[in-house]
Amino acid sequence: MRIEAEGAMTGGAPNMIRPMPGNDRPRVVILGAGFGGLAAAVALKSIPVDITVIDRRNYHLFQPLLYQVATAGLSPAQVAMPIRRILSRQKNVTVLMQRVERIEKAMQVVHTAERSIPYDYLVVATGARHAYFGHEEWAESAPGLKTIGDATEIRARILSAFERAEVTEDDQRREALLTFVVVGGGPTGVEMAGAIAELARKVVVRDFRHINVASARVVLVEAGNRILPTMPACLSAKAQRQLEGLGVEVLSTAAVNHCDAGGVTLADGRRIGSTCVLWAAGVMASKAAKWLGAAADRAGRTVVDERLNVPGHDNIFVIGDTAAVKSEDGRPVPGTAPAAKQMGEHAAHAIRALIAGNPVEPFRYRHFGNLATIGRKAAVADFGRIRLSGFSAWLVWNLAHLWFLVGFHNRLVVFMDWGLAYLRYERSARLITDRHER
Amino acid sequence: MRIEAEGAMTGGAPNMIRPMPGNDRPRVVILGAGFGGLAAAVALKSIPVDITVIDRRNYHLFQPLLYQVATAGLSPAQVAMPIRRILSRQKNVTVLMQRVERIEKAMQVVHTAERSIPYDYLVVATGARHAYFGHEEWAESAPGLKTIGDATEIRARILSAFERAEVTEDDQRREALLTFVVVGGGPTGVEMAGAIAELARKVVVRDFRHINVASARVVLVEAGNRILPTMPACLSAKAQRQLEGLGVEVLSTAAVNHCDAGGVTLADGRRIGSTCVLWAAGVMASKAAKWLGAAADRAGRTVVDERLNVPGHDNIFVIGDTAAVKSEDGRPVPGTAPAAKQMGEHAAHAIRALIAGNPVEPFRYRHFGNLATIGRKAAVADFGRIRLSGFSAWLVWNLAHLWFLVGFHNRLVVFMDWGLAYLRYERSARLITDRHER
């Protein structure tokens, strides 16, 4: 490896490589071990570089299934894997659990609380969080779904609402407790609304004595004129019919004006009383642009060039939900796992090319399709020419997600849980854990 | 049922039964859905009574496997089941998630934050928490293991210690980070120490680059002259040898004098530097005695008569870890799941007898044996005449615990996790979740 490295370097871009004493391998620092960061690290497996992956958590999160943790279908450990374990066998990787504090571009150093890590190549893949469009005060009464903490908090709120409804003797309070409002008609909102409706009507329905949980209201509120706006209109309509079939009320062109512990108020003045409002509308990128002193768009995403570089720094790549990237047809690249993976692979190939002194290709986003699941047997899938809905789309969705779940163990356990849930309308993780019971 | 109830009651103990309008069935209130409370509820399944089970959590916890959650072997949802789900099909049971505030014996009413629940018969099974013998200030630096919150906190501390050791450049700090002290040589302490040693030496050993986790120190500190004091001396010795085989240092006759964030100081002045001290020494019963205005022993357990009644109240039963009970040979009944189950069944039979106007038998504890597991292939088991250690005991331990795990789903998933862990030295739940990431 050592010789290869030297070979690579003599032909390489020396201005970018300041060898450390006793180690002449280029240093690649990857911030964030989401889909993008991991893809970059794995794609550099056989390259003679020293990779440091920095994440403030010890686990990689399989975001697309997080809504199932929030609705008691899966356990956190089934959608999260230790980053160390995933990269355990890749000898050129070191994983550090640290929180990034700042990036010194001039010195090419990343500073964390306890360490300063120099880099020759930097890949920033620190993702995004949900946003409240300047109404951050809504966060407490309408949690969003981005982390395991969010998911277990939402799970506790949903299950506690049923528990409190069973206890209370106040009819109005009971009605508010049995009303669930999901704000945002994107894939996450659609998945959440469908899963909550099923939880109430199929799973916990036999478990209560004083309340009829099947009468629980689930309201999906979307500001735009249809749910799943990134999908063809016909699939949006199908998704809405499937949701309504599960008992979800879908309100389109219904913007939320106000949100508090008692419920939401819509732009047209309508008030929906609910003790459990969930936020699935809009995201804000991580602080990457601030760290890098780079330009950002309205969603806080770093503006990058066609090679995913911060303009003027061809050794700094920003990828995934943290980057504002346009595909060739000029449309923004979606904030999905496949897109992040493609960007991570691009960054790895670019670094390989830079080391070898070869030209770097521009990033080309390949769009494979859109998927959104709705319930136990329903989903919609858009693969351009091929459009599926209902059970067939649901099967495709399950297979796709199962396949991409990192780790054999998780795949197996999740598959079994889904199988049992499907056969027995069961949910395996119906735990209410509070701040002191993580 | 109605007629039976009336029949039962006319022959019953009328002074104890004040029928509610429109309902003449005796009201049984059970506080706590642990092994004792659940056993009482289930044993009353076919009896014409109205049962209310009150627990401040929504799940029943399988305590004997909790140490596996604390050591990343199992997920919380694999050792906890929703109480509602367990009792879903038992139509004479209502479950309320409420925190008990006080008990009004004169009026026969249990008061919670939101409700007042009258009872004809009361079963108090609210368990125990770990105790620090008047050193409650040690709780922050030496968490104990009683709830899911405790377990995930301990899991986070153990895994974070490895992560911090990988990051730090201070040798002394690294040594303290890689030293784990378990205080208390009972079954829980033995299980914890063994599991941590295996976690370090077998599971995460390949995942770190800068530290040698196999060099981690695991110290089991026991104040008495041998670990597992309730077991025969020969099995204590075998357990110690098996622990030492896993690399655990066992310190007997070593009382802890002081405990802080930096480690522990023993009675003989020895200081053990450790950032991860775990408490497995001693328990304190719940507030039941205070609620009932009854006498309590030094561990806070309510003193009950041979029928498990609070003296003078033959309709109030205190069972499980909350009760101080002697077996026929005069020895205290251990605070184990089988003992709690037997007491719960006794309470149910006693209530049945009281309703029928029959005499109530005194409680007889049947001791089946003691089990403690040590590691991947090691355990000790004492069944009186039959004493096992090593692999055979480990098999017995696994089968016994698997068998008693509530719920088919959990049994299956746990069995699979154990199988995979056994084959691949894997841990499925290596997540560091913090206060905001339950």
Side-chain angles (χ1 to χ4, degrees):
Chain A
M1 292 292 266
R2 192 87 182 269
I3 288 90
E4 283 169 49
E6 277 154 0
M9 284 170 50
T10 47
N15 60 310
M16 229 153 272
I17 301 158
R18 281 183 275 84
M20 295 165 79
N23 179 357
D24 47 16
R25 290 159 60 142
R27 296 157 302 184
V28 178
V29 173
I30 298 172
L31 307 184
F35 288 102
L38 271 187
V42 170
L44 289 168
K45 189 182 179 107
S46 56
I47 310 300
V49 291
D50 288 329
I51 305 166
T52 305
V53 174
I54 301 175
D55 197 295
R56 64 182 213 263
R57 303 207 168 80
N58 81 318
Y59 53 84
H60 165 76
L61 183 57
F62 194 82
Q63 288 272 1
L65 287 180
L66 193 57
Y67 83 95
Q68 293 223 6
V69 175
T71 52
L74 295 173
S75 290
Q78 293 175 326
V79 299
M81 290 280 274
I83 298 161
R84 295 196 176 285
R85 179 177 150 198
I86 297 168
L87 297 171
S88 179
R89 282 173 188 71
Q90 187 171 335
K91 292 301 172 207
N92 64 346
V93 172
T94 300
V95 177
L96 295 181
M97 188 177 99
Q98 287 280 283
R99 189 180 289 266
V100 172
E101 295 193 333
R102 59 196 179 83
I103 297 169
E104 219 177 334
K105 273 191 302 184
M107 302 297 298
Q108 299 195 176
V109 176
V110 172
H111 296 280
T112 71
E114 292 176 68
R115 291 279 289 273
S116 297
I117 301 107
Y119 65 84
D120 301 305
Y121 301 96
L122 179 64
V123 180
V124 181
T126 42
R129 267 201 68 79
H130 49 271
Y132 294 87
F133 315 120
H135 288 286
E136 301 313 316
E137 72 276 11
W138 295 354
E140 184 46 41
S141 41
L145 184 65
K146 270 286 172 193
T147 69
I148 282 181
D150 296 334
T152 49
E153 167 68 15
I154 288 173
R155 183 179 71 186
R157 289 189 185 209
I158 294 171
L159 297 173
S160 299
F162 292 129
E163 295 292 338
R164 296 206 184 96
E166 176 83 345
V167 170
T168 189
E169 288 162 317
D170 173 336
D171 294 346
Q172 202 183 342
R173 176 168 160 76
R174 189 181 305 112
E175 196 184 322
L177 283 164
L178 291 178
T179 301
F180 301 87
V181 176
V182 179
V183 182
T188 303
V190 167
E191 284 159 357
M192 289 285 296
I196 296 169
E198 280 197 334
L199 180 68
R201 282 166 180 63
K202 312 281 188 175
V203 182
V204 301
V205 67
R206 288 181 314 276
D207 295 357
F208 292 85
R209 302 287 183 253
H210 302 314
I211 57 171
N212 172 17
V213 283
S215 72
R217 263 183 90 191
V218 181
V219 187
L220 179 60
V221 177
E222 163 60 35
N225 62 355
R226 60 185 178 98
I227 60 172
L228 301 178
T230 62
M231 291 234 180
C234 62
L235 287 183
S236 292
K238 284 206 170 100
Q240 175 159 350
R241 275 199 298 282
Q242 290 172 13
L243 279 171
E244 285 163 351
L246 288 172
V248 176
E249 299 171 40
V250 180
L251 303 182
S252 307
T253 60
V256 170
N257 262 14
H258 176 75
C259 180
D260 57 48
V264 298
T265 310
L266 305 181
D268 61 12
R270 261 181 301 177
R271 174 76 176 171
I272 306 173
S274 167
T275 60
C276 188
V277 179
L278 306 175
W279 194 262
V283 295
M284 175 61 68
S286 65
K287 294 206 228 79
K290 212 160 121 260
W291 291 335
L292 295 166
D297 69 3
R298 272 171 50 254
R301 292 174 302 185
T302 308
V303 176
V304 294
D305 61 26
E306 76 288 350
R307 305 197 304 182
L308 306 185
N309 287 131
V310 174
H313 295 273
D314 60 2
N315 66 328
I316 301 180
F317 300 84
V318 183
I319 65 173
D321 295 356
T322 315
V325 184
K326 292 242 180 301
S327 59
E328 284 165 308
D329 60 11
R331 288 193 303 173
V333 174
T336 63
K341 280 184 170 178
Q342 290 178 35
M343 294 189 221
E345 282 151 13
H346 166 85
H349 296 142
I351 290 167
R352 192 200 242 122
L354 288 166
I355 291 173
N358 299 334
V360 174
E361 297 293 315
F363 171 68
R364 278 205 178 68
Y365 170 62
R366 282 152 292 136
H367 185 71
F368 294 121
N370 286 330
L371 280 165
T373 184
I374 288 142
R376 186 167 174 258
K377 278 193 265 193
V380 287
D382 168 32
F383 303 108
R385 253 167 269 78
I386 305 152
R387 291 171 182 177
L388 304 172
S389 73
F391 189 65
S392 56
W394 181 82
L395 274 184
V396 171
W397 183 92
N398 275 0
L399 293 175
H401 284 74
L402 222 41
W403 180 255
F404 287 116
L405 243 196
V406 183
F408 158 78
H409 168 275
N410 278 22
R411 235 178 262 162
L412 198 61
V413 175
V414 171
F415 181 75
M416 215 184 60
D417 270 14
W418 283 356
L420 287 168
Y422 185 80
L423 294 173
R424 304 167 61 228
Y425 271 125
E426 195 47 84
R427 299 274 175 112
S428 63
R430 281 167 49 192
L431 306 183
I432 299 175
T433 52
D434 64 27
R435 268 164 222 272
H436 309 292
E437 285 190 64
R438 282 126 284 179
Chain B
M1 293 291 264
R2 192 87 182 262
I3 288 87
E4 282 169 47
E6 277 156 0
M9 283 170 51
T10 47
N15 61 309
M16 229 153 273
I17 301 158
R18 283 183 274 84
M20 294 164 79
N23 178 358
D24 48 17
R25 296 160 135 220
R27 295 157 303 183
V28 178
V29 172
I30 299 173
L31 307 183
F35 288 102
L38 272 187
V42 170
L44 289 168
K45 189 183 179 105
S46 56
I47 310 301
V49 291
D50 287 330
I51 306 166
T52 304
V53 174
I54 301 174
D55 197 295
R56 64 182 214 263
R57 301 207 169 80
N58 82 317
Y59 53 84
H60 165 76
L61 183 57
F62 194 81
Q63 288 270 1
L65 287 180
L66 193 57
Y67 83 96
Q68 294 224 6
V69 175
T71 52
L74 294 174
S75 290
Q78 293 175 327
V79 299
M81 290 280 273
I83 298 160
R84 296 198 175 283
R85 179 176 149 197
I86 297 168
L87 297 171
S88 179
R89 281 174 188 70
Q90 189 172 332
K91 292 299 170 209
N92 64 346
V93 172
T94 301
V95 177
L96 295 180
M97 189 176 97
Q98 287 281 282
R99 189 180 288 268
V100 172
E101 293 193 336
R102 60 195 179 85
I103 296 169
E104 219 176 334
K105 273 192 301 184
M107 301 297 297
Q108 300 194 174
V109 176
V110 173
H111 295 281
T112 71
E114 293 176 67
R115 291 279 289 273
S116 297
I117 302 108
Y119 64 84
D120 300 305
Y121 302 96
L122 179 64
V123 179
V124 182
T126 42
R129 267 201 67 79
H130 48 273
Y132 294 87
F133 315 120
H135 289 285
E136 302 313 316
E137 71 276 12
W138 295 355
E140 185 45 40
S141 42
L145 185 65
K146 271 284 171 193
T147 68
I148 282 181
D150 297 334
T152 49
E153 167 68 15
I154 289 172
R155 182 179 72 187
R157 288 190 186 209
I158 295 170
L159 297 173
S160 299
F162 292 128
E163 295 293 338
R164 296 206 184 97
E166 175 84 345
V167 169
T168 189
E169 288 162 319
D170 174 333
D171 294 348
Q172 203 183 341
R173 176 167 159 77
R174 188 180 306 110
E175 197 185 320
L177 283 163
L178 291 178
T179 301
F180 301 86
V181 176
V182 179
V183 181
T188 303
V190 167
E191 284 160 357
M192 289 284 296
I196 296 169
E198 279 197 336
L199 182 67
R201 282 167 179 63
K202 313 281 188 175
V203 181
V204 300
V205 67
R206 289 182 313 278
D207 296 357
F208 293 86
R209 302 288 182 254
H210 302 314
I211 57 171
N212 171 16
V213 283
S215 72
R217 264 183 88 193
V218 182
V219 186
L220 179 61
V221 177
E222 163 61 35
N225 62 355
R226 62 185 176 97
I227 59 171
L228 300 176
T230 62
M231 292 231 179
C234 62
L235 287 182
S236 293
K238 284 206 170 97
Q240 177 159 349
R241 276 199 298 283
Q242 290 173 13
L243 280 171
E244 285 162 352
L246 289 172
V248 175
E249 298 170 40
V250 179
L251 303 181
S252 308
T253 61
V256 169
N257 261 15
H258 176 74
C259 180
D260 57 48
V264 297
T265 310
L266 304 181
D268 62 12
R270 262 181 299 177
R271 173 77 176 170
I272 305 173
S274 166
T275 59
C276 188
V277 179
L278 306 176
W279 194 261
V283 294
M284 176 60 68
S286 65
K287 295 206 226 79
K290 211 160 120 261
W291 291 335
L292 295 166
D297 70 2
R298 270 173 50 255
R301 293 174 302 184
T302 308
V303 176
V304 294
D305 62 25
E306 76 288 349
R307 305 198 306 183
L308 307 185
N309 286 131
V310 174
H313 295 272
D314 59 2
N315 65 327
I316 300 180
F317 300 84
V318 183
I319 65 173
D321 294 357
T322 315
V325 184
K326 292 241 181 300
S327 59
E328 284 166 308
D329 60 10
R331 288 193 303 173
V333 174
T336 63
K341 280 184 172 179
Q342 290 177 34
M343 294 190 220
E345 282 151 11
H346 165 84
H349 296 142
I351 290 167
R352 192 200 241 124
L354 288 167
I355 291 173
N358 300 333
V360 175
E361 297 292 316
F363 171 68
R364 281 203 177 69
Y365 170 63
R366 283 151 290 135
H367 186 71
F368 295 120
N370 288 329
L371 280 165
T373 184
I374 288 142
R376 184 164 174 261
K377 279 194 264 191
V380 288
D382 169 30
F383 303 107
R385 253 166 269 80
I386 305 152
R387 292 171 182 176
L388 304 172
S389 73
F391 189 65
S392 57
W394 182 81
L395 274 184
V396 171
W397 183 92
N398 274 1
L399 293 176
H401 284 74
L402 220 42
W403 180 255
F404 287 116
L405 243 196
V406 182
F408 156 77
H409 168 274
N410 279 21
R411 237 177 262 163
L412 198 62
V413 176
V414 171
F415 181 75
M416 215 184 60
D417 271 13
W418 283 356
L420 286 168
Y422 185 79
L423 294 171
R424 305 167 61 227
Y425 271 125
E426 196 46 83
R427 299 275 174 112
S428 63
R430 282 167 48 192
L431 306 183
I432 299 176
T433 51
D434 64 28
R435 270 165 220 271
H436 308 293
E437 284 191 64
R438 282 127 283 179

